Amino acid sequence: MSQFKSEFLAILSERGFIHQISDPEGLDAAAKAGAISGYIGFDATASSLHAGSLVQIMMLRWMQKTGHRPIALMGGGTTKIGDPSFKDESRKLLSVEQIAANLAGIRQVFGKFLSFGAGPTDARMVNNADWLDHLNYIDFLRDYGVHFTINRMLSFDSVKLRLEREQPLTFLEFNYMILQAYDFLELSRRQDCVLQMGGSDQWGNIVNGIELGRRCDQRQLFALTSPLLTTSSGAKMGKTAAGAVWLNADMLSPYDYWQYWRNAEDADVTRFLKLYTELSLAEIARLGALGGAEINEAKKVLATEATAMLHGRAAAEAAAETARRTFEDGQSAAGLPTLTLDLDGGTGLLAAMVAAGFATSNGEARRSIQGGAVRINDEPVADDKLVLTRALLADGAIKLSMGKKKHVLVKPA
RNA sequence: GGGGGAGUGUCCCGAGCGGCAAAGGGGGCGGACUGUAAAUCCGCUGGCUUCGCCUUCGUAGGUUCGAGUCCUACCUCCCCCA
């Protein structure tokens, strides 16, 4: 499996990024022979990417680090259609304004992982709206539609779920795979891009692009997919109870991001270190060998390294220090997320908990209090009618906690 | 076209002879145990101005003191026959 001669594939392989490659020998030879260009598409379905996309981003990063040119494709056009792959029902269509706003949010993150420019291995960012928005329907059908048979498209696993459930798959969505295939063709022509990467759920779509390249331009293109990542207990990467693990700092603080990785399951530590950090495999092997409570050290390294890559070393160290003070010293630490409330007029505890995101309704907050989950300045609270006022301030803030892991500092308005 | 079956707590799956805020799972949250892990055990898991009030069982009507449960129409899906 890892008999790759190119540094690019060898690294991806040994770090666990590879699920399938369309023509492993061919791609390996191409990557060995010289710099190649490869892309991954990101649709603008939310205003930030989340941890589930991190594997893709890391693949682009490794591509660049091993001397190739990564292309981040913004799905400004395809998002208007919506990818139906492996979804059991169609998603709501996003407005054009919404897509533009989401795209702006998503763009930010790439600069932290890739270095952009015009040089041979500088990353590029392109938007498929540039070519998809102005396609002429009839011309497009005549030029490219002839290369796709419905028979074949219906055979893809990605649409089977929908078809088997006899859920409607609209013609609009059905076109998504054609447009994604066309993207690949466009990028091969415009950017000399020969590789498309993505999650394993994208395999069918990518292969369609390879077919199109062969038929239109007699060009050899490649596909490389990463495994669909779940945690050891089966949960999807990047989702927690509180919501998605966003990459944008304004949607998830560096502290909370650090916490997400710190709370990884034991069984995931080695795998995650390989995928989400750039530590050497030897170092990862050492960390992964730690047993019992010592593995917490490995989790801290994972959290700090992963956070440093996204938010910078300083933010990562600060998060680590805040966590250390909070969890290991049991003190309130200044780096905890803060919440500003009116303490002069007083704010009810229930309302404060909802504002802190500890509960979604007063009732839920009340039940948590009755269940003994809530503490103020580390003292358990039993009274759900309590009102937060300045009298509770300690060191300029009130530390409001729920459970062992959720802490917020309430400060006066 | 004909016949039969199904849509349940806006996370999911799923019970429900007319008295139902609705069994049971899963998931999630909290507690205990630990190592900010896993497993296990326990509690919680519609909303509110909470001894009470309000909104929930595909949609809209109807019967009834009272409907998730019965009736009518409609929507969607599954199966059999043509």
Side-chain angles (χ1 to χ4, degrees):
Chain A
M1 181 73 184
S2 69
Q3 298 312 310
F4 292 111
K5 297 189 173 60
S6 64
E7 187 190 8
F8 173 52
L9 289 185
I11 288 180
L12 287 194
S13 173
E14 66 194 10
R15 299 189 80 101
F17 284 94
I18 297 177
H19 179 247
Q20 273 186 108
I21 298 180
S22 56
D23 171 10
E25 294 76 22
L27 179 59
D28 192 37
K32 177 74 178 169
I36 60 171
S37 294
Y39 88 97
I40 299 177
F42 297 88
D43 274 357
T45 50
S47 57
S48 166
L49 294 175
H50 58 74
S53 298
L54 214 49
V55 170
Q56 327 301 340
I57 297 173
M58 288 301 289
M59 288 200 292
L60 290 178
R61 185 174 164 90
W62 279 114
M63 198 172 184
Q64 184 163 46
K65 289 190 81 155
T66 54
H68 303 284
R69 189 180 62 158
I71 298 169
L73 175 68
M74 300 294 103
T78 37
T79 307
K80 292 176 185 167
I81 309 297
D83 186 2
S85 297
F86 297 100
K87 309 230 164 53
D88 55 6
E89 56 186 27
S90 48
R91 295 278 190 79
K92 236 169 84 180
L93 282 179
L94 283 83
S95 70
V96 174
E97 297 74 38
Q98 186 60 250
I99 292 171
N102 288 348
L103 224 43
I106 286 172
R107 279 205 170 95
Q108 308 171 19
V109 80
F110 288 95
K112 305 189 174 181
F113 290 87
L114 304 173
S115 111
F116 288 88
T121 65
D122 281 340
R124 304 292 166 84
M125 183 175 286
V126 292
N127 186 342
N128 62 16
D130 290 350
W131 55 83
L132 294 181
D133 277 2
H134 306 293
L135 284 180
N136 176 297
Y137 191 58
I138 299 297
D139 288 344
F140 181 78
L141 288 180
R142 285 177 63 92
D143 292 342
Y144 305 105
V146 290
H147 297 301
F148 295 90
T149 66
I150 296 292
N151 314 53
R152 180 165 158 75
M153 289 199 285
L154 287 175
S155 76
F156 282 102
D157 287 344
S158 53
V159 300
K160 271 189 186 151
L161 179 65
R162 190 79 69 83
L163 296 176
E164 278 166 7
R165 288 197 173 196
E166 306 229 353
Q167 290 288 317
L169 175 68
T170 64
F171 185 65
L172 174 81
E173 296 173 283
F174 194 52
N175 274 271
Y176 187 92
M177 66 171 90
I178 294 180
L179 293 179
Q180 186 171 337
Y182 180 68
D183 278 349
F184 201 174
L185 184 69
E186 274 289 335
L187 284 171
S188 75
R189 290 172 173 174
R190 291 170 177 241
Q191 306 275 347
D192 194 28
C193 178
V194 296
L195 171 65
Q196 181 181 175
M197 301 184 286
S200 58
D201 58 334
Q202 294 298 308
W203 181 258
N205 292 347
I206 298 175
V207 166
N208 266 317
I210 293 179
E211 289 283 317
L212 192 61
R214 184 178 9 247
R215 294 185 189 193
C216 293
D217 297 351
Q218 292 74 51
R219 180 119 199 232
Q220 168 77 66
L221 302 175
F222 302 96
L224 189 163
T225 56
S226 58
L228 188 63
L229 283 173
T230 58
T231 66
S232 289
S233 44
K236 269 190 188 165
M237 275 306 291
K239 304 270 166 133
T240 69
V245 181
W246 301 112
L247 300 186
N248 289 6
D250 56 351
M251 294 180 71
L252 187 76
S253 70
Y255 169 78
D256 286 321
Y257 189 74
W258 192 93
Q259 283 296 322
Y260 173 71
W261 297 106
R262 174 63 183 83
N263 283 298
E265 295 168 26
D266 287 8
D268 290 328
V269 171
T270 297
R271 198 159 52 101
F272 285 1
L273 281 167
K274 286 204 248 180
L275 292 168
Y276 302 112
T277 75
E278 292 178 328
L279 297 175
S280 71
L281 291 181
E283 176 67 2
I284 291 172
R286 186 186 71 76
L287 291 168
L290 295 173
E294 286 193 322
I295 200 167
N296 282 326
E297 291 310 311
K299 291 184 188 179
K300 288 177 198 169
V301 173
L302 169 66
T304 301
E305 290 301 314
T307 305
M309 204 171 316
L310 178 63
H311 295 301
R313 183 63 56 180
E317 301 287 358
E321 177 58 14
T322 298
R324 193 189 65 75
R325 293 237 294 277
T326 303
F327 290 99
E328 294 177 24
D329 295 348
Q331 299 300 310
S332 69
L336 291 171
T338 62
L339 183 66
T340 306
L341 295 174
D342 175 17
L343 298 182
D344 295 309
T347 300
L349 176 56
L350 297 178
M353 286 178 63
V354 172
F358 291 173
T360 55
S361 68
N362 288 356
E364 190 179 324
R366 184 176 288 112
R367 281 191 294 270
S368 291
I369 293 169
Q370 286 162 355
V374 180
R375 279 159 294 134
I376 288 177
N377 295 330
D378 299 312
E379 293 297 322
V381 197
D383 178 14
D384 58 28
K385 293 196 175 60
L386 191 86
V387 175
L388 301 184
T389 62
R390 283 183 178 274
L392 291 165
L393 283 172
D395 286 338
I398 299 169
K399 183 182 180 187
L400 178 62
S401 312
M402 174 159 123
K404 284 182 290 193
K405 298 182 184 177
K406 296 175 187 168
H407 308 280
V408 138
L409 294 181
V410 177
K411 296 190 172 168

